[in-house]
Amino acid sequence: MKQHYDLIIVGGGMVGASLACALVPAAEALGLDIAIVEPVPLRRDGLSYQPSYDARATALAYGSRSAYERMGIWQTLTQHITPIGEIHVSDRGHFGASRLSAAQQQVPALGYVIENHWLGQVLLNRLQAPECGRIDYLCPAEVAEVIPGDGQMSVTISRDGCTSALTCELVVMADGGRSELRQRLGIGYRYSAYEQHALIANVSPDRPHRGIAYERFTDQGPMALLPLQEQDGQHRCALVWTLSDDDTQTLMDMDDAGFLAQLQQRFGYRAGRFVQVGERHAYPLQLVLAEEQVRAGLVVLGNAAHALHPIAGQGYNLALRGVVSLADQLIDARRQGRSLGDLAVLQAYHERMRSDQQRTIGFSDGTMKLFTSRNPLLTLGRNLGLQALDVCPTAKTLFARSAMGLDTPAPVLQQWEGRS
Ligand SMILES: Cc1cc2nc3c(=O)[nH]c(=O)nc-3n(C[C@H](O)[C@H](O)[C@H](O)COP(=O)(O)OP(=O)(O)OC[C@H]3O[C@@H](n4cnc5c(N)ncnc54)[C@H](O)[C@@H]3O)c2cc1C
């Protein structure tokens, strides 16, 4: 461990580790010293209950693929990734339904489903590679304090019961939606609890999923069923079921047979008969938006900056666009001989992300309200909307492009040419 770094990333979750991976070539070529600090180690088998790398699966928008291609890890990720060939959207007990297909949209896939623990394993393996000599992965270790100073930041790390004082030009806080540092630094945030949980579990239908992802709206809450790779000959899908707090408890308490019966009754048989369910987990859902995302020497990133409702599968995809945009800005700053913590540099990054954040948060929040409402007028409106979507190719293309993360130009990570 060095005493001084150019950049310290707080949190080695999906967002913090992706930022470090995005900076690998620049770290070597531009002599950037980076530390990434994470308290929870990833187990050797890749399974971990570290928040980022737990039992969940993430739907990566088609637009997120290019970020991982540029980081040089896409090929490895594809070893355990499931392309989404079709998306079926339907409203239980109502007439509205719509189908989107990759073939119609002339893309190889509408998106990709990846299990978080596999993404974590690939990201952290990348950071252990020989060309990452300038990136120190400090784990298990925790950032206890961040103190802004004159032109540099002081960071207290606690590790093995000892504390060390480090300095750096820039601290990136990627320490998740419950960031304690955010509070300690007096960074205000907007918080609204949805009074809902996401119940997640892997379920096995009795037939192959054929790459179809389902979004089904029921009177008990919306459900997403995402296609996963087969395991030990079992067909598998990842279920994300948004439920009221009370319904969550009831469904968590049920035995597997009772749970599968409830799921089948709510979801119907369009994906087949559900024959097995894995471990269930429940996540409380809230909208969190940091009121300040940059200060001199400081950036708040990922869930620490914005935690969204998972209904539209947009939270991580938005965060990854932020990762790419920030990495790009920092590389330019370094090339121009500016400090990474320069406020103007960080404000330019935030300005690039602002409208994307507002639009994505508005889309997720609006979709959640529309599809959890029992108001008869809203129910009729959404069913007419789904029917219209199904018969109108232009509306369908617009919706598909938004779901694929292609509706606004995605920030592009610079292809490294070794220039300094
Ligand atoms: C049920 C559910 C389903 C979802 N599905 C999707 C989806 O399909 N598509 C999508 O785009 N998004 C999805 N999301 C959103 C996605 O999971 C988040 O955007 C993502 O997990 C954010 O990662 P993060 O690294 O910012 O935060 P976290 O995953 O919370 O990681 C924060 C890290 O910081 C570490 N940390 C905390 N404090 C400190 C400290 N003091 N010092 C050092 N380290 C610290 C923690 O140990 C942790 O590893 C979903 C979310 C939920 C709840």
Side-chain angles (χ1 to χ4, degrees), residues 10-16 37-40 50-53 56-60 116 141-144 174-177 179-181 198 200 226 240 283-285 301-304 306 308 310 312-319:
V10 187
M14 302 202 304
V15 170
V37 188
E38 170 57 48
V40 187
Q50 177 183 344
S52 255
Y53 309 132
R56 281 173 292 174
T58 295
L60 288 178
N116 287 13
E142 189 172 353
V143 171
D175 54 342
S179 167
E180 287 176 19
L181 291 173
I200 65 120
L226 304 171
V240 184
Y283 296 83
L285 299 178
L301 196 68
N303 262 21
H306 43 69
L308 278 59
Q314 299 269 347
Y316 183 61
N317 292 294
L318 173 65

Side-chain angles (χ1 to χ4, degrees), residues 193-215:
Y194 286 117
E195 293 174 353
Q196 293 170 341
H197 278 71
L199 187 156
I200 65 120
N202 289 345
V203 292
S204 292
D206 63 352
R207 62 175 87 145
H209 50 60
R210 294 177 291 132
I212 302 173
Y214 297 89
E215 184 87 57

Side-chain angles (χ1 to χ4, degrees), residues 71 93 97 108 128 136 148 210 246 253 256 260 333 361 394 418:
M71 289 179 210
Q128 313 295 321
D136 287 343
R210 294 177 291 132
D246 287 347
D253 291 343
D256 286 358
L260 285 170
I361 292 168
T394 313

Side-chain angles (χ1 to χ4, degrees), residues 201-320:
N202 289 345
V203 292
S204 292
D206 63 352
R207 62 175 87 145
H209 50 60
R210 294 177 291 132
I212 302 173
Y214 297 89
E215 184 87 57
R216 182 138 173 86
F217 300 100
T218 77
D219 50 0
Q220 215 174 359
M223 309 163 128
L225 195 69
L226 304 171
L228 287 178
Q229 277 196 335
E230 283 190 7
Q231 205 172 53
D232 305 326
Q234 289 266 25
H235 309 306
R236 291 189 314 142
C237 296
L239 171 72
V240 184
W241 192 352
T242 303
L243 294 154
S244 70
D245 295 345
D246 287 347
D247 285 347
T248 306
Q249 201 50 55
T250 310
L251 282 157
M252 288 297 287
D253 291 343
M254 278 181 183
D255 60 15
D256 286 358
F259 179 81
L260 285 170
Q262 273 290 323
L263 173 64
Q264 196 78 67
Q265 204 237 331
R266 297 281 147 188
F267 191 84
Y269 286 86
R270 56 195 61 212
R273 196 166 60 82
F274 298 115
V275 291
Q276 203 176 327
V277 57
E279 213 175 309
R280 284 163 258 164
H281 300 270
Y283 296 83
L285 299 178
Q286 60 269 314
L287 175 64
V288 180
L289 182 62
E291 280 160 3
E292 275 177 284
Q293 293 184 21
V294 297
R295 287 181 180 176
L298 190 75
V299 173
V300 188
L301 196 68
N303 262 21
H306 43 69
L308 278 59
H309 197 288
I311 190 167
Q314 299 269 347
Y316 183 61
N317 292 294
L318 173 65
L320 197 57

Side-chain angles (χ1 to χ4, degrees), residues 100-380:
L100 304 169
S101 91
Q104 263 175 8
Q105 302 303 320
Q106 299 178 339
V107 288
L110 292 167
Y112 300 89
V113 186
I114 187 158
E115 290 176 72
N116 287 13
H117 59 77
W118 173 241
L119 179 56
Q121 213 174 332
V122 175
L123 289 171
L124 298 183
N125 278 348
R126 172 77 180 121
L127 296 177
Q128 313 295 321
E131 66 271 27
C132 297
R134 284 189 171 268
I135 301 181
D136 287 343
Y137 183 64
L138 310 180
C139 180
E142 189 172 353
V143 171
E145 201 170 15
V146 173
I147 303 173
D150 199 11
Q152 66 177 14
M153 307 292 281
S154 300
V155 177
T156 309
I157 308 272
S158 96
R159 198 181 191 190
D160 298 330
C162 304
T163 58
S164 330
L166 308 181
T167 54
C168 62
E169 286 183 10
L170 175 66
V171 172
V172 172
M173 282 167 44
D175 54 342
R178 293 192 195 144
S179 167
E180 287 176 19
L181 291 173
R182 192 179 49 198
Q183 255 145 313
R184 269 184 249 152
L185 284 161
I187 297 173
Y189 57 95
R190 214 176 94 199
Y191 174 93
S192 67
Y194 286 117
E195 293 174 353
Q196 293 170 341
H197 278 71
L199 187 156
I200 65 120
N202 289 345
V203 292
S204 292
D206 63 352
R207 62 175 87 145
H209 50 60
R210 294 177 291 132
I212 302 173
Y214 297 89
E215 184 87 57
R216 182 138 173 86
F217 300 100
T218 77
D219 50 0
Q220 215 174 359
M223 309 163 128
L225 195 69
L226 304 171
L228 287 178
Q229 277 196 335
E230 283 190 7
Q231 205 172 53
D232 305 326
Q234 289 266 25
H235 309 306
R236 291 189 314 142
C237 296
L239 171 72
V240 184
W241 192 352
T242 303
L243 294 154
S244 70
D245 295 345
D246 287 347
D247 285 347
T248 306
Q249 201 50 55
T250 310
L251 282 157
M252 288 297 287
D253 291 343
M254 278 181 183
D255 60 15
D256 286 358
F259 179 81
L260 285 170
Q262 273 290 323
L263 173 64
Q264 196 78 67
Q265 204 237 331
R266 297 281 147 188
F267 191 84
Y269 286 86
R270 56 195 61 212
R273 196 166 60 82
F274 298 115
V275 291
Q276 203 176 327
V277 57
E279 213 175 309
R280 284 163 258 164
H281 300 270
Y283 296 83
L285 299 178
Q286 60 269 314
L287 175 64
V288 180
L289 182 62
E291 280 160 3
E292 275 177 284
Q293 293 184 21
V294 297
R295 287 181 180 176
L298 190 75
V299 173
V300 188
L301 196 68
N303 262 21
H306 43 69
L308 278 59
H309 197 288
I311 190 167
Q314 299 269 347
Y316 183 61
N317 292 294
L318 173 65
L320 197 57
R321 295 197 288 277
V323 162
V324 169
S325 195
L326 179 61
D328 205 40
Q329 203 77 35
L330 297 179
I331 291 169
D332 274 348
R334 184 63 168 213
R335 278 178 168 157
Q336 293 163 18
R338 297 168 78 174
S339 162
L340 301 190
D342 184 325
L343 184 58
V345 167
L346 305 179
Q347 281 172 332
Y349 146 74
H350 188 220
E351 213 35 60
R352 277 169 71 178
M353 288 308 298
R354 194 190 296 274
S355 63
D356 187 5
Q357 287 184 6
Q358 283 169 349
R359 199 179 39 81
T360 309
I361 292 168
F363 180 71
S364 292
D365 194 50
T367 308
M368 189 285 298
K369 286 183 177 135
L370 181 63
F371 284 101
T372 50
S373 171
R374 294 187 185 182
N375 178 317
L377 273 179
L378 279 180
T379 307
L380 177 66

